[in-house]
Amino acid sequence: MISFSERIAIVMFGLSFFAFLLYLLNRRPVIFLSFFFIIFTLAWRMSATMFIDLQGPVYSSQLARDIGPGTVSVIHSMAYVVSLLPFLYCFRPAAVEAWRADSQQSRASRGEITLSDITFVVSLIFLSFLFFDLVRRGSIPLFNRIERFDYAGGSAHRWMSRYENFLTFWWGLMFAAEFIRQRRFDWRMVGLLGASAVYALLTGNRFSAFYSQFSFFVTPLAAIVALKYKSSDGSRFSWINRRFASRAARLAVAGFVVVAAGTISLVIYNNLANVRGYVGDDIWRQAFNRTLIQPSEIGWTSFERVFENGQTQPSVAFHFLFEAPIDPARNTSIQYLMFATIGEPRTTDHLTHGFQFAGGFPEIFFELFGPYWAWPFLLGMGYIAAALTALVVRGTLRGNYASAFLSLYVLYGFYIMYIGGMLNFATTGTYWIKLAALAAALFIEAGLVRIGLPLMPWVVFRVPRHGWLKRLPLMRSGPSNS
Amino acid sequence: MVTTAANGPHEAPATDRRAVLQIVRLPNFREHAANDKLGGNAATSNLLDMFLEMPNLAVRSKVVIFGLLPLCFACAILFLCRPDPPVWRLRTTFHIGTSVAPAAVIDGSPNVRSTIEKYSSVVALISAPAFRDTIAGTSEFEAGSAGLSKRLVFGTLRAHALDNNAEDVEIDFTAASAADCRAAYRTIARQIEQRHALLFNENAQQLQTAIDDYSERAALLAKWKDAEVQPGYQASTEADNPKRGVGLIWNETREHLRQLEAARSFMTPTTFPPAAEIYVEGPLANNTVRMSALAGLAVILCAFALGWTLETRATRRRNTDT
């Protein structure tokens, strides 16, 4: 059991992390939105860790043992703050001001087809085919009680499952670009996001698909916040208060939150009760385990090994992660953590069935570098992630869409690291190709800006004054203003 | 020349009215001006704002908050995170015994020897909650530390095979004292040795059966062979002779018998190093959480200092440029 003073420490460090997030939301919304995907995960995991620390011993069905109590929250909250700290430097007010001053606000004239128009048309065709293919195949997972990973679908479905995050990011990027350049909300992109969410719902997804789609969509929207609101302005949460000043806007947001929460709850219930066949209290127990135990159970056992029992084996961890993992094509960090927790045969068995535990960050750093040397590495990784996120926001503001997208593509490796502890993403050749592509894009954009040309033009082509294209509804009808 | 906010509000040598107005409209201008009026240090405020942006506070307040926060957390780490009781850690490797497959010996297969039990099964057995529970429950721990040792042994006992070596398995666990580590180790050794002794005896029995079988066969063949060499013996036809090549078969049988008897020497039981010879690491003072958290706090402060330094140099460079 832990002492009363340790309970105070857990509460204090856990709450200080949430206070830090509140500070980001209040004063640094650009950071909060641009890194929302990870911030949400860290907040969730912090809650789960605090629960295990304070409520333990609690039974973990996956580990087949009791876990907790402990003081993991102290270490993990600091690790999260260390990871987020570089964002304060990369997104310092002076830097954001500089990006804002350089923001690309040239509008498209009447009759010009923009990148967002093209995006909308291509996406609409793709989504139409996706829904058509779903109906044509005859089995809709939501209604036919099929698990999402058991539904094979067609090639379009597989493509969507693999790249939906990047797709929704691109829609968000176009939404932000329309706002920055044309000063209007591009509801078409919101509609595409909604259609994509409906597709995820129909194909049996529970929570993660909606969360990741929404998070990737809002990532580039941080550029709008950077453009519109200055953190030194006004009172608490001024950027939220001003954006949702009207009663109608607040009601709309509240309605959206209620509908989203209700839908997700229903979908989770449907999955547990009708697809997986749990009954009675088991449904609640499963949801409870998934929410408050499973996100941090691996982190807790790792803490027990490294901090409480001194069972660190950095050389074994390194050898396993980078030289002889069970499955080198997948996240080797979680493989190691599973291997160290539940043993090799069960790990292999789980992996061959395509199943792995949640968690991995920051525990893999402590396993690999020990309880002291992990800190500088956490800070270093946080700095790289912050710099890449800054490139995304800067690229969105400046109209450098190629580098903004490629930055996210490179940043995605770090996202996986923060979600699942994966470190071997950097050992694959394709990752370095992505990095080279980003470097090339940044270099070319810097060269082209001197002659006033973009690498990825906002106006793709101009429609002739007369002809059938002119009569299409997607043609913009606003005033000519170049 | 129109500067951006990155250049700061004080450095721009604005030459026209428009540029001056733009600078005045910059977001932090009023704040910096207010700080200057207060006699505060605008640069310090700017640097503090880089990390903790609190525009409504005076510079002095920011400095106090900035200093108090780490101090508060350092005190919390020192006084709230009490060190856990010390623990002892035992790590050792045991050798899985070797069994012999009689059929493989007779077939002349190169894979005559194998482990009594597959290493993966052994690792799985030790990792299984039921086994860990048995060890934690049946080990003779010291009275004072039994509670903690039971929890530690159940929670930390793990095993894994060593690379390219299917015969050695490493076990690793922690207990509340060195004596408890050895007690748990003896129980593990006893459990595994008993299990493997059964498998070993079973294998020895199989081998003995095969040896007996071939001995009988060899004796029978020897009789037939003796009959073949009796004077006056003559087969009606070559095809009717059931004892054709008896000598050859007899030789083969004797060879198999020899190989089976020789294979008996390959069989080895599972062995654990004697408990008295095992080094138990400890006491491992469990101050790690406290020290690691302090190290983390130091890294946070270093990051602040580094950002501060970088921003100061950048500001100086900009000032020099303008």
Side-chain angles (χ1 to χ4, degrees), chain B residues 90 202 279 287 292:
Chain B
L90 187 149
E202 204 174 285
Y279 173 68
N287 218 1
S292 177

Side-chain angles (χ1 to χ4, degrees), chain A residues 23 28 97 231 308-309 313 371, chain B residues 27 49-50 53 156 286 292:
Chain A
Y23 164 76
R28 300 294 181 89
E97 293 286 350
S231 46
E308 290 189 344
N309 304 329
Q313 290 173 296
Chain B
D49 279 352
M50 184 172 70
E53 197 176 348
T156 61
N286 249 333
S292 177

Side-chain angles (χ1 to χ4, degrees), chain B residues 47 157 227 229 244 249 279 282-283 297:
Chain B
L47 293 168
L157 174 59
V229 295
R244 176 170 57 91
I249 298 168
Y279 173 68
L297 197 63

Side-chain angles (χ1 to χ4, degrees), chain A residues 3 5-6 8-9 12-13 16 23 27-28 63-65 71 74-75 78 81-82 85 88-89 92-94 97-98 100-101 230-232 303-313 319 339-340 342-345 366 371-372 375-376 379, chain B residues 4-6 27-28 49-53 55-56 72-73 76-77 80-82 84 87 89 91 120 123-124 127 129 132 152 154-156 158 160 163 170 172-174 284 286 288-289 291-293 295-297 299-300 303-304 307 310-311:
Chain A
S3 63
S5 67
E6 283 173 323
I8 295 173
M12 181 183 164
F13 277 83
S16 61
Y23 164 76
R27 291 289 176 199
R28 300 294 181 89
L63 306 184
R65 57 164 291 201
T71 48
V74 174
I75 297 295
M78 289 188 69
V81 170
V82 165
L85 206 61
L88 298 177
Y89 179 76
R92 60 195 181 279
E97 293 286 350
R100 187 187 299 151
K230 297 169 185 69
S231 46
S232 53
F303 172 85
E304 187 184 46
R305 273 194 305 276
V306 176
F307 288 88
E308 290 189 344
N309 304 329
Q311 283 181 311
T312 45
Q313 290 173 296
H319 179 67
F339 157 79
I342 59 169
E344 189 268 335
F366 293 109
Y372 306 112
W375 296 105
L379 186 73
Chain B
T4 64
N28 289 332
D49 279 352
M50 184 172 70
F51 289 113
L52 293 171
E53 197 176 348
N56 299 328
C72 183
F73 280 107
I77 291 164
L80 297 180
C81 299
R82 298 282 175 81
D84 286 333
V87 293
R89 183 187 183 191
R91 275 170 78 191
S120 56
V123 172
S127 307
R132 288 187 278 130
L152 285 171
F154 179 78
T156 61
R158 61 197 176 118
H160 58 84
D163 288 335
E170 186 186 68
D172 184 356
F173 62 90
T174 309
L284 300 169
N286 249 333
T288 320
V289 175
M291 297 311 289
S292 177
L297 197 63
V299 166
I300 290 175
F304 275 120
L310 287 173
E311 190 63 11

Side-chain angles (χ1 to χ4, degrees), chain A residues 276-297:
Chain A
R276 298 193 179 177
Y278 292 109
V279 286
D281 285 349
D282 279 351
I283 297 172
W284 165 244
R285 202 171 297 122
Q286 282 296 322
F288 181 80
N289 278 352
R290 183 68 193 88
T291 311
L292 281 176
I293 295 177
Q294 289 173 11
S296 291
E297 60 189 7

Side-chain angles (χ1 to χ4, degrees), chain A residues 15 40 82-83 116 134 148 192 222 234 240 253 313 425 454 476:
Chain A
L15 291 184
F40 184 86
V82 165
S83 302
S116 71
L134 180 70
R148 66 183 186 283
L192 291 173
I240 299 174
V253 170
Q313 290 173 296
F425 71 89
R476 66 188 67 245

